[in-house]
Amino acid sequence: MNNTIEEGKSTAITAYILVVGALIAMSMNAEHKNPYASFHIRQAMGLSILFVAIGYSISGFADPMITYPFWIFMAVLWSYGIITAIKGETTPIPLIGNFFQKFFKKL
C-alpha cells in the first residue's frame, strides 16, 4: 500500500492544479491505474467542476459579501485536498468528497 501511495503521489498532487492539472493527472494515470492517484483525481475533478459552476453562477454579483465567501470556501477545500495528497491520505473532502468518489468512479 505504501508503495502505491509513493508511486501515485506526484500524480495526485498534480491533479489539484485547477482543471488543467486534473486533466494532466488523468493522462498520467491512464496507462497504469494507481488507486491512490485515482482517488485524488476524482476529488480534484469534482472541485474543478464545482469551482467553475459556482463561479459562473455568482460572477454576476459584484458584492464582495457574496464572492469572498465563495473564494474562501474553495480555497479551504482545495487546501484540504492537496494537503491530504501530500500527506499520503485518502480522506474525502468534507461535505462533497464522497459524492465526487461516486460520481467520478469511472476515472
Side-chain angles (χ1 to χ4, degrees):
M1 180 68 175
N2 242 357
N3 195 27
T4 303
I5 291 172
E6 288 305 315
E7 289 174 359
K9 194 176 271 192
S10 63
T11 305
I13 293 168
T14 302
Y16 288 100
I17 304 171
L18 298 177
V19 178
V20 174
L23 296 174
I24 291 170
M26 284 173 55
S27 69
M28 290 169 65
N29 199 42
E31 192 172 321
H32 301 289
K33 293 272 188 200
N34 181 299
Y36 177 74
S38 294
F39 173 86
H40 283 286
I41 290 169
R42 289 189 292 270
Q43 296 290 294
M45 183 61 74
L47 276 177
S48 296
I49 291 171
L50 183 70
F51 175 75
V52 171
I54 295 176
Y56 179 75
S57 62
I58 68 165
S59 66
F61 298 102
D63 186 9
M65 295 296 287
I66 296 172
T67 56
Y68 288 172
F70 163 71
W71 285 103
I72 292 168
F73 175 71
M74 291 307 296
V76 167
L77 293 181
W78 238 296
S79 298
Y80 184 85
I82 200 162
I83 288 169
T84 58
I86 291 169
K87 289 169 65 175
E89 299 174 357
T90 54
T91 308
I93 293 168
L95 304 174
I96 50 179
N98 289 326
F99 172 75
F100 293 156
Q101 290 302 312
K102 292 176 189 169
F103 191 75
F104 297 112
K105 63 184 170 191
K106 299 281 184 189
L107 297 179

